[in-house]
Amino acid sequence: MSQLPLVAGADPARPLDALFVNAPLRDYDQRPRTNDYTLPVLGMAYIATYAQQAGYNVGVLDAEAHGLGITETAKLINDAAPRWAAMNLLAPTYEMSARIAAQLDPGIALMVGGHHAKAMPDRVLADPRMANLRALVLGEGELRVAALLDDEQRRRELPGVLWRDRLLGTRATGILTDKKRSAEMLGPDIDTLPYVNRAFLPQDPYQAAPTETDRRLAVSRGTPLLKGAARSGHTEANIVGSRGCPYNCTFCGAAVSANPDVLIRVRAPENIIGELDALHEEYGVTAFRFVDDLFLGVGRVIEEQMEAFTRHKIGERYVWDATGRINVLDRVSDRELDRLVANGLREVALGIESGSDRILKVMDKRINAAMTERVARRLVEHGIGVKGYFILGFPGESHDDIEATVRHVHNLWRIADNNPGDIRASVFEFRPYPGTPVWQTLVEAGNDPAALLAYGDVDLTEDGADESMRQRDEFNFSVGIQFGSVPLSRVRSTLAALTREQHDRNQGNQGAAA
């Protein structure tokens, strides 16, 4: 075991206790990937870090980040010969994960977790390709995975751990009678967890090219950011500031109704700032992206975090992006927006989803198009960039609804054109995820779950959005079903048109900045 090619974070001189595997979205043996960056698997890295600090030799194989095919991924796992292989199961990658599992050496025990495992545990346990599955972990896995690495037989006392009884052919479940300890295992105190060991993440931190938001910020604030970072780009890292979400957007796997077991917790400001500074000291990171739902999604959280950011002069040292809730930001005062800017806020990612108030209500977004435009205007007036996410082809969507979304996107672009902050539109075709509220609605309406799980590529080239425009094209996939009254071909042509327009705007902005 002198070498572990592409395995991140493991000690190659010691036997491998566990290899955490992020499956590729596609079999890249069949079609090489066209982009060179994918979002890091922070949840998996958290579990690996905790296990490592508990004394186990573990590594991460991010097959998506490396663009690996199914056969190559399975071979790498078998060559590494870990005691356990661990996979995070997501609906779009489940087929890839199952095909990898089917090729693993029978001597390697398999454990799985993730949204798909939680939403469809019996389906996963019954899959013959998962014959060596010895533990299915529901929810947050740090403490329970470490316990499994200590002794597989401990699964009997681990809450939320399932497996298939080979003799009876039934599902077995771990039970812990100590309710307090059970709650700790299911929802650990996130302020006591170690900071993620970035050695497990092959693409995080990373060197980012300067963005249009960086350039606009440099101009609007009258000075190059962070000693010229706006000219040269930042070293960036992704970070999680909280776990859980109190909202119930019908299409989202994080919806509160789909995760009643998840305690909503926010990291203490000092804990977060400690990680920012540690990443800066070790890797020179000067820009951060908060990828959780709550960092700018709850008023009291914003107030608490920004008070600490001000005290630690974060805005003088770093810039950062975060996800946000439109209805929450609509209540934020101009003074609070000024403080966000002073504390380094660069861009907010907003789930805008639609320009149709009717569809927004069906989605349970608790917003309307007028509110979105009002919030976006105030953000860009303060020099804060906006990245808006949109869904086309939602169940029940009509031609008028799609046209409302197209008008909405153009309205937002016009707002950006007259203000220091930029607005970017990221548009996707609707796809259903098991466990979400809309999934249940679709199944009750007569849709076959197997058809709803048949994810495949969306080829936008014939509609004018070529591969070079798609950047992270792993997000363009579909189940190929028309869910509204608009034909799928029209949905995709609209998606391609908006994608091309955003690409042209990006190119025009770069030319103007040059």
mmCIF file of all heavy atoms in Angstrom, residues 375-413:
data_model
loop_
_atom_site.group_PDB
_atom_site.id
_atom_site.type_symbol
_atom_site.label_atom_id
_atom_site.label_comp_id
_atom_site.label_asym_id
_atom_site.label_seq_id
_atom_site.Cartn_x
_atom_site.Cartn_y
_atom_site.Cartn_z
ATOM 1 N N VAL A 375 -35.579 43.346 -3.470
ATOM 2 C CA VAL A 375 -34.393 42.907 -2.740
ATOM 3 C C VAL A 375 -33.159 42.968 -3.623
ATOM 4 O O VAL A 375 -32.087 43.453 -3.205
ATOM 5 C CB VAL A 375 -34.600 41.480 -2.194
ATOM 6 C CG1 VAL A 375 -33.289 40.887 -1.691
ATOM 7 C CG2 VAL A 375 -35.634 41.487 -1.081
ATOM 8 N N ALA A 376 -33.274 42.482 -4.857
ATOM 9 C CA ALA A 376 -32.133 42.503 -5.773
ATOM 10 C C ALA A 376 -31.656 43.927 -6.017
ATOM 11 O O ALA A 376 -30.447 44.201 -6.030
ATOM 12 C CB ALA A 376 -32.506 41.832 -7.086
ATOM 13 N N ARG A 377 -32.596 44.859 -6.192
ATOM 14 C CA ARG A 377 -32.226 46.256 -6.434
ATOM 15 C C ARG A 377 -31.446 46.817 -5.239
ATOM 16 O O ARG A 377 -30.413 47.468 -5.417
ATOM 17 C CB ARG A 377 -33.472 47.101 -6.699
ATOM 18 C CG ARG A 377 -33.154 48.554 -7.058
ATOM 19 C CD ARG A 377 -34.432 49.364 -7.249
ATOM 20 N NE ARG A 377 -35.273 48.799 -8.301
ATOM 21 C CZ ARG A 377 -35.102 49.032 -9.600
ATOM 22 N NH1 ARG A 377 -34.113 49.812 -10.004
ATOM 23 N NH2 ARG A 377 -35.920 48.477 -10.469
ATOM 24 N N ARG A 378 -31.943 46.558 -4.039
ATOM 25 C CA ARG A 378 -31.262 47.091 -2.859
ATOM 26 C C ARG A 378 -29.867 46.478 -2.697
ATOM 27 O O ARG A 378 -28.912 47.163 -2.306
ATOM 28 C CB ARG A 378 -32.105 46.829 -1.613
ATOM 29 C CG ARG A 378 -33.424 47.599 -1.607
ATOM 30 C CD ARG A 378 -34.194 47.331 -0.331
ATOM 31 N NE ARG A 378 -33.470 47.808 0.827
ATOM 32 C CZ ARG A 378 -33.354 47.142 1.982
ATOM 33 N NH1 ARG A 378 -33.911 45.943 2.106
ATOM 34 N NH2 ARG A 378 -32.690 47.646 2.989
ATOM 35 N N LEU A 379 -29.735 45.194 -2.978
ATOM 36 C CA LEU A 379 -28.425 44.551 -2.868
ATOM 37 C C LEU A 379 -27.427 45.148 -3.852
ATOM 38 O O LEU A 379 -26.311 45.527 -3.475
ATOM 39 C CB LEU A 379 -28.559 43.042 -3.088
ATOM 40 C CG LEU A 379 -29.254 42.246 -1.976
ATOM 41 C CD1 LEU A 379 -29.517 40.816 -2.425
ATOM 42 C CD2 LEU A 379 -28.428 42.243 -0.696
ATOM 43 N N VAL A 380 -27.810 45.240 -5.126
ATOM 44 C CA VAL A 380 -26.850 45.725 -6.119
ATOM 45 C C VAL A 380 -26.587 47.220 -5.964
ATOM 46 O O VAL A 380 -25.506 47.701 -6.328
ATOM 47 C CB VAL A 380 -27.307 45.375 -7.550
ATOM 48 C CG1 VAL A 380 -27.366 43.863 -7.740
ATOM 49 C CG2 VAL A 380 -28.632 46.019 -7.907
ATOM 50 N N GLU A 381 -27.550 47.962 -5.424
ATOM 51 C CA GLU A 381 -27.298 49.372 -5.127
ATOM 52 C C GLU A 381 -26.186 49.516 -4.094
ATOM 53 O O GLU A 381 -25.435 50.503 -4.110
ATOM 54 C CB GLU A 381 -28.568 50.051 -4.621
ATOM 55 C CG GLU A 381 -29.587 50.362 -5.701
ATOM 56 C CD GLU A 381 -30.878 50.926 -5.147
ATOM 57 O OE1 GLU A 381 -31.090 50.850 -3.911
ATOM 58 O OE2 GLU A 381 -31.694 51.432 -5.957
ATOM 59 N N HIS A 382 -26.080 48.531 -3.206
ATOM 60 C CA HIS A 382 -25.022 48.545 -2.195
ATOM 61 C C HIS A 382 -23.734 47.886 -2.701
ATOM 62 O O HIS A 382 -22.777 47.732 -1.927
ATOM 63 C CB HIS A 382 -25.499 47.838 -0.926
ATOM 64 C CG HIS A 382 -26.413 48.667 -0.076
ATOM 65 N ND1 HIS A 382 -27.746 48.876 -0.379
ATOM 66 C CD2 HIS A 382 -26.175 49.369 1.064
ATOM 67 C CE1 HIS A 382 -28.285 49.650 0.541
ATOM 68 N NE2 HIS A 382 -27.364 49.970 1.419
ATOM 69 N N GLY A 383 -23.710 47.480 -3.955
ATOM 70 C CA GLY A 383 -22.518 46.854 -4.507
ATOM 71 C C GLY A 383 -22.410 45.370 -4.231
ATOM 72 O O GLY A 383 -21.353 44.768 -4.440
ATOM 73 N N ILE A 384 -23.485 44.757 -3.752
ATOM 74 C CA ILE A 384 -23.497 43.312 -3.469
ATOM 75 C C ILE A 384 -24.004 42.579 -4.698
ATOM 76 O O ILE A 384 -25.081 42.881 -5.221
ATOM 77 C CB ILE A 384 -24.402 43.002 -2.262
ATOM 78 C CG1 ILE A 384 -23.913 43.746 -1.014
ATOM 79 C CG2 ILE A 384 -24.451 41.488 -2.003
ATOM 80 C CD1 ILE A 384 -24.908 43.718 0.130
ATOM 81 N N GLY A 385 -23.243 41.617 -5.175
ATOM 82 C CA GLY A 385 -23.669 40.831 -6.321
ATOM 83 C C GLY A 385 -24.771 39.858 -5.957
ATOM 84 O O GLY A 385 -24.937 39.473 -4.796
ATOM 85 N N VAL A 386 -25.535 39.433 -6.960
ATOM 86 C CA VAL A 386 -26.609 38.464 -6.780
ATOM 87 C C VAL A 386 -26.434 37.340 -7.796
ATOM 88 O O VAL A 386 -26.241 37.605 -8.984
ATOM 89 C CB VAL A 386 -27.999 39.113 -6.970
ATOM 90 C CG1 VAL A 386 -29.092 38.051 -6.986
ATOM 91 C CG2 VAL A 386 -28.265 40.143 -5.875
ATOM 92 N N LYS A 387 -26.474 36.103 -7.321
ATOM 93 C CA LYS A 387 -26.572 34.956 -8.218
ATOM 94 C C LYS A 387 -27.940 34.349 -8.004
ATOM 95 O O LYS A 387 -28.256 33.859 -6.910
ATOM 96 C CB LYS A 387 -25.490 33.911 -7.949
ATOM 97 C CG LYS A 387 -25.567 32.744 -8.945
ATOM 98 C CD LYS A 387 -24.419 31.774 -8.784
ATOM 99 C CE LYS A 387 -24.483 30.692 -9.864
ATOM 100 N NZ LYS A 387 -23.381 29.706 -9.743
ATOM 101 N N GLY A 388 -28.786 34.406 -9.023
ATOM 102 C CA GLY A 388 -30.150 33.912 -8.903
ATOM 103 C C GLY A 388 -30.312 32.552 -9.548
ATOM 104 O O GLY A 388 -29.879 32.343 -10.687
ATOM 105 N N TYR A 389 -30.933 31.634 -8.826
ATOM 106 C CA TYR A 389 -31.226 30.303 -9.353
ATOM 107 C C TYR A 389 -32.686 30.250 -9.796
ATOM 108 O O TYR A 389 -33.588 30.728 -9.092
ATOM 109 C CB TYR A 389 -30.959 29.235 -8.295
ATOM 110 C CG TYR A 389 -29.493 29.088 -7.959
ATOM 111 C CD1 TYR A 389 -28.942 29.712 -6.846
ATOM 112 C CD2 TYR A 389 -28.657 28.333 -8.770
ATOM 113 C CE1 TYR A 389 -27.593 29.588 -6.545
ATOM 114 C CE2 TYR A 389 -27.303 28.201 -8.491
ATOM 115 C CZ TYR A 389 -26.778 28.830 -7.372
ATOM 116 O OH TYR A 389 -25.442 28.702 -7.088
ATOM 117 N N PHE A 390 -32.915 29.658 -10.973
ATOM 118 C CA PHE A 390 -34.250 29.585 -11.554
ATOM 119 C C PHE A 390 -34.537 28.156 -12.000
ATOM 120 O O PHE A 390 -33.635 27.441 -12.439
ATOM 121 C CB PHE A 390 -34.365 30.524 -12.761
ATOM 122 C CG PHE A 390 -34.182 31.975 -12.434
ATOM 123 C CD1 PHE A 390 -32.902 32.523 -12.369
ATOM 124 C CD2 PHE A 390 -35.269 32.797 -12.181
ATOM 125 C CE1 PHE A 390 -32.713 33.862 -12.061
ATOM 126 C CE2 PHE A 390 -35.095 34.136 -11.877
ATOM 127 C CZ PHE A 390 -33.818 34.677 -11.813
ATOM 128 N N ILE A 391 -35.814 27.767 -11.900
ATOM 129 C CA ILE A 391 -36.260 26.443 -12.335
ATOM 130 C C ILE A 391 -37.281 26.614 -13.449
ATOM 131 O O ILE A 391 -38.233 27.389 -13.312
ATOM 132 C CB ILE A 391 -36.903 25.662 -11.172
ATOM 133 C CG1 ILE A 391 -35.876 25.383 -10.078
ATOM 134 C CG2 ILE A 391 -37.503 24.348 -11.669
ATOM 135 C CD1 ILE A 391 -36.493 24.778 -8.820
ATOM 136 N N LEU A 392 -37.089 25.894 -14.538
ATOM 137 C CA LEU A 392 -38.073 25.852 -15.620
ATOM 138 C C LEU A 392 -38.656 24.444 -15.713
ATOM 139 O O LEU A 392 -37.965 23.453 -15.479
ATOM 140 C CB LEU A 392 -37.423 26.222 -16.958
ATOM 141 C CG LEU A 392 -36.852 27.638 -17.100
ATOM 142 C CD1 LEU A 392 -36.266 27.821 -18.496
ATOM 143 C CD2 LEU A 392 -37.919 28.686 -16.825
ATOM 144 N N GLY A 393 -39.942 24.362 -16.066
ATOM 145 C CA GLY A 393 -40.586 23.063 -16.228
ATOM 146 C C GLY A 393 -41.158 22.500 -14.942
ATOM 147 O O GLY A 393 -41.363 21.279 -14.828
ATOM 148 N N PHE A 394 -41.451 23.372 -13.973
ATOM 149 C CA PHE A 394 -42.006 22.906 -12.699
ATOM 150 C C PHE A 394 -43.407 22.324 -12.919
ATOM 151 O O PHE A 394 -44.139 22.762 -13.819
ATOM 152 C CB PHE A 394 -42.063 24.069 -11.706
ATOM 153 C CG PHE A 394 -42.223 23.639 -10.282
ATOM 154 C CD1 PHE A 394 -41.135 23.147 -9.570
ATOM 155 C CD2 PHE A 394 -43.452 23.719 -9.642
ATOM 156 C CE1 PHE A 394 -41.279 22.743 -8.245
ATOM 157 C CE2 PHE A 394 -43.606 23.316 -8.331
ATOM 158 C CZ PHE A 394 -42.509 22.823 -7.625
ATOM 159 N N PRO A 395 -43.808 21.334 -12.116
ATOM 160 C CA PRO A 395 -45.153 20.762 -12.276
ATOM 161 C C PRO A 395 -46.241 21.832 -12.263
ATOM 162 O O PRO A 395 -46.291 22.691 -11.377
ATOM 163 C CB PRO A 395 -45.274 19.834 -11.070
ATOM 164 C CG PRO A 395 -43.874 19.394 -10.812
ATOM 165 C CD PRO A 395 -43.023 20.594 -11.110
ATOM 166 N N GLY A 396 -47.090 21.775 -13.281
ATOM 167 C CA GLY A 396 -48.188 22.725 -13.401
ATOM 168 C C GLY A 396 -47.820 24.027 -14.090
ATOM 169 O O GLY A 396 -48.693 24.881 -14.291
ATOM 170 N N GLU A 397 -46.576 24.189 -14.491
ATOM 171 C CA GLU A 397 -46.149 25.443 -15.106
ATOM 172 C C GLU A 397 -46.737 25.587 -16.504
ATOM 173 O O GLU A 397 -46.748 24.640 -17.300
ATOM 174 C CB GLU A 397 -44.615 25.481 -15.179
ATOM 175 C CG GLU A 397 -44.043 26.830 -15.543
ATOM 176 C CD GLU A 397 -42.530 26.852 -15.413
ATOM 177 O OE1 GLU A 397 -41.881 25.946 -15.975
ATOM 178 O OE2 GLU A 397 -42.002 27.762 -14.752
ATOM 179 N N SER A 398 -47.218 26.788 -16.826
ATOM 180 C CA SER A 398 -47.830 27.073 -18.121
ATOM 181 C C SER A 398 -46.896 27.942 -18.963
ATOM 182 O O SER A 398 -45.853 28.412 -18.496
ATOM 183 C CB SER A 398 -49.152 27.811 -17.915
ATOM 184 O OG SER A 398 -48.905 29.121 -17.402
ATOM 185 N N HIS A 399 -47.296 28.185 -20.205
ATOM 186 C CA HIS A 399 -46.550 29.095 -21.078
ATOM 187 C C HIS A 399 -46.455 30.475 -20.440
ATOM 188 O O HIS A 399 -45.397 31.119 -20.477
ATOM 189 C CB HIS A 399 -47.222 29.188 -22.454
ATOM 190 C CG HIS A 399 -47.065 27.960 -23.289
ATOM 191 N ND1 HIS A 399 -45.986 27.764 -24.137
ATOM 192 C CD2 HIS A 399 -47.841 26.848 -23.412
ATOM 193 C CE1 HIS A 399 -46.110 26.592 -24.748
ATOM 194 N NE2 HIS A 399 -47.230 26.014 -24.337
ATOM 195 N N ASP A 400 -47.556 30.958 -19.876
ATOM 196 C CA ASP A 400 -47.544 32.277 -19.242
ATOM 197 C C ASP A 400 -46.574 32.321 -18.068
ATOM 198 O O ASP A 400 -45.902 33.338 -17.844
ATOM 199 C CB ASP A 400 -48.946 32.647 -18.758
ATOM 200 C CG ASP A 400 -49.898 32.972 -19.907
ATOM 201 O OD1 ASP A 400 -49.411 33.198 -21.035
ATOM 202 O OD2 ASP A 400 -51.125 32.996 -19.670
ATOM 203 N N ASP A 401 -46.486 31.224 -17.322
ATOM 204 C CA ASP A 401 -45.565 31.179 -16.184
ATOM 205 C C ASP A 401 -44.115 31.263 -16.646
ATOM 206 O O ASP A 401 -43.294 31.981 -16.061
ATOM 207 C CB ASP A 401 -45.772 29.887 -15.384
ATOM 208 C CG ASP A 401 -47.136 29.821 -14.723
ATOM 209 O OD1 ASP A 401 -47.605 30.861 -14.226
ATOM 210 O OD2 ASP A 401 -47.738 28.720 -14.705
ATOM 211 N N ILE A 402 -43.795 30.526 -17.711
ATOM 212 C CA ILE A 402 -42.424 30.560 -18.225
ATOM 213 C C ILE A 402 -42.100 31.945 -18.776
ATOM 214 O O ILE A 402 -40.994 32.475 -18.559
ATOM 215 C CB ILE A 402 -42.216 29.470 -19.291
ATOM 216 C CG1 ILE A 402 -42.027 28.111 -18.607
ATOM 217 C CG2 ILE A 402 -41.014 29.777 -20.179
ATOM 218 C CD1 ILE A 402 -41.550 27.005 -19.500
ATOM 219 N N GLU A 403 -43.039 32.541 -19.476
ATOM 220 C CA GLU A 403 -42.806 33.892 -19.994
ATOM 221 C C GLU A 403 -42.591 34.881 -18.853
ATOM 222 O O GLU A 403 -41.784 35.816 -18.961
ATOM 223 C CB GLU A 403 -43.971 34.330 -20.874
ATOM 224 C CG GLU A 403 -44.016 33.645 -22.231
ATOM 225 C CD GLU A 403 -42.729 33.832 -23.012
ATOM 226 O OE1 GLU A 403 -42.246 34.989 -23.095
ATOM 227 O OE2 GLU A 403 -42.192 32.824 -23.516
ATOM 228 N N ALA A 404 -43.313 34.694 -17.757
ATOM 229 C CA ALA A 404 -43.120 35.566 -16.592
ATOM 230 C C ALA A 404 -41.708 35.421 -16.038
ATOM 231 O O ALA A 404 -41.091 36.410 -15.610
ATOM 232 C CB ALA A 404 -44.155 35.242 -15.522
ATOM 233 N N THR A 405 -41.178 34.206 -16.043
ATOM 234 C CA THR A 405 -39.815 33.990 -15.566
ATOM 235 C C THR A 405 -38.797 34.644 -16.494
ATOM 236 O O THR A 405 -37.838 35.273 -16.040
ATOM 237 C CB THR A 405 -39.526 32.484 -15.430
ATOM 238 O OG1 THR A 405 -40.405 31.931 -14.449
ATOM 239 C CG2 THR A 405 -38.090 32.232 -15.015
ATOM 240 N N VAL A 406 -39.002 34.521 -17.795
ATOM 241 C CA VAL A 406 -38.088 35.164 -18.755
ATOM 242 C C VAL A 406 -38.102 36.678 -18.553
ATOM 243 O O VAL A 406 -37.039 37.328 -18.521
ATOM 244 C CB VAL A 406 -38.478 34.787 -20.200
ATOM 245 C CG1 VAL A 406 -37.652 35.599 -21.206
ATOM 246 C CG2 VAL A 406 -38.279 33.285 -20.438
ATOM 247 N N ARG A 407 -39.291 37.262 -18.417
ATOM 248 C CA ARG A 407 -39.368 38.714 -18.175
ATOM 249 C C ARG A 407 -38.686 39.087 -16.865
ATOM 250 O O ARG A 407 -38.001 40.118 -16.775
ATOM 251 C CB ARG A 407 -40.836 39.159 -18.144
ATOM 252 C CG ARG A 407 -41.537 39.164 -19.488
ATOM 253 C CD ARG A 407 -42.845 39.957 -19.420
ATOM 254 N NE ARG A 407 -43.758 39.444 -18.399
ATOM 255 C CZ ARG A 407 -44.625 38.469 -18.610
ATOM 256 N NH1 ARG A 407 -44.715 37.888 -19.806
ATOM 257 N NH2 ARG A 407 -45.429 38.058 -17.636
ATOM 258 N N HIS A 408 -38.855 38.251 -15.872
ATOM 259 C CA HIS A 408 -38.261 38.497 -14.557
ATOM 260 C C HIS A 408 -36.737 38.536 -14.648
ATOM 261 O O HIS A 408 -36.089 39.439 -14.092
ATOM 262 C CB HIS A 408 -38.713 37.374 -13.621
ATOM 263 C CG HIS A 408 -38.486 37.628 -12.172
ATOM 264 N ND1 HIS A 408 -38.625 38.862 -11.577
ATOM 265 C CD2 HIS A 408 -38.129 36.770 -11.162
ATOM 266 C CE1 HIS A 408 -38.381 38.763 -10.280
ATOM 267 N NE2 HIS A 408 -38.069 37.503 -10.012
ATOM 268 N N VAL A 409 -36.163 37.578 -15.350
ATOM 269 C CA VAL A 409 -34.707 37.543 -15.520
ATOM 270 C C VAL A 409 -34.223 38.815 -16.217
ATOM 271 O O VAL A 409 -33.236 39.453 -15.796
ATOM 272 C CB VAL A 409 -34.274 36.287 -16.296
ATOM 273 C CG1 VAL A 409 -32.784 36.354 -16.643
ATOM 274 C CG2 VAL A 409 -34.582 35.021 -15.505
ATOM 275 N N HIS A 410 -34.917 39.211 -17.280
ATOM 276 C CA HIS A 410 -34.511 40.410 -17.999
ATOM 277 C C HIS A 410 -34.668 41.667 -17.142
ATOM 278 O O HIS A 410 -33.834 42.591 -17.214
ATOM 279 C CB HIS A 410 -35.304 40.543 -19.299
ATOM 280 C CG HIS A 410 -34.846 39.597 -20.374
ATOM 281 N ND1 HIS A 410 -35.506 38.420 -20.661
ATOM 282 C CD2 HIS A 410 -33.788 39.639 -21.219
ATOM 283 C CE1 HIS A 410 -34.889 37.804 -21.649
ATOM 284 N NE2 HIS A 410 -33.830 38.502 -21.997
ATOM 285 N N ASN A 411 -35.709 41.717 -16.328
ATOM 286 C CA ASN A 411 -35.873 42.847 -15.417
ATOM 287 C C ASN A 411 -34.703 42.934 -14.440
ATOM 288 O O ASN A 411 -34.186 44.032 -14.155
ATOM 289 C CB ASN A 411 -37.184 42.719 -14.624
ATOM 290 C CG ASN A 411 -38.410 42.978 -15.477
ATOM 291 O OD1 ASN A 411 -38.314 43.545 -16.576
ATOM 292 N ND2 ASN A 411 -39.569 42.572 -14.983
ATOM 293 N N LEU A 412 -34.281 41.790 -13.932
ATOM 294 C CA LEU A 412 -33.169 41.772 -12.994
ATOM 295 C C LEU A 412 -31.874 42.203 -13.666
ATOM 296 O O LEU A 412 -31.068 42.937 -13.073
ATOM 297 C CB LEU A 412 -33.025 40.373 -12.385
ATOM 298 C CG LEU A 412 -34.179 39.941 -11.470
ATOM 299 C CD1 LEU A 412 -34.072 38.459 -11.128
ATOM 300 C CD2 LEU A 412 -34.206 40.772 -10.196
ATOM 301 N N TRP A 413 -31.652 41.760 -14.882
ATOM 302 C CA TRP A 413 -30.453 42.199 -15.610
ATOM 303 C C TRP A 413 -30.457 43.715 -15.820
ATOM 304 O O TRP A 413 -29.421 44.367 -15.691
ATOM 305 C CB TRP A 413 -30.373 41.485 -16.957
ATOM 306 C CG TRP A 413 -29.872 40.069 -16.859
ATOM 307 C CD1 TRP A 413 -29.091 39.531 -15.879
ATOM 308 C CD2 TRP A 413 -30.108 39.019 -17.800
ATOM 309 N NE1 TRP A 413 -28.836 38.210 -16.137
ATOM 310 C CE2 TRP A 413 -29.437 37.866 -17.305
ATOM 311 C CE3 TRP A 413 -30.820 38.920 -18.992
ATOM 312 C CZ2 TRP A 413 -29.460 36.652 -17.994
ATOM 313 C CZ3 TRP A 413 -30.847 37.715 -19.668
ATOM 314 C CH2 TRP A 413 -30.164 36.584 -19.179
#
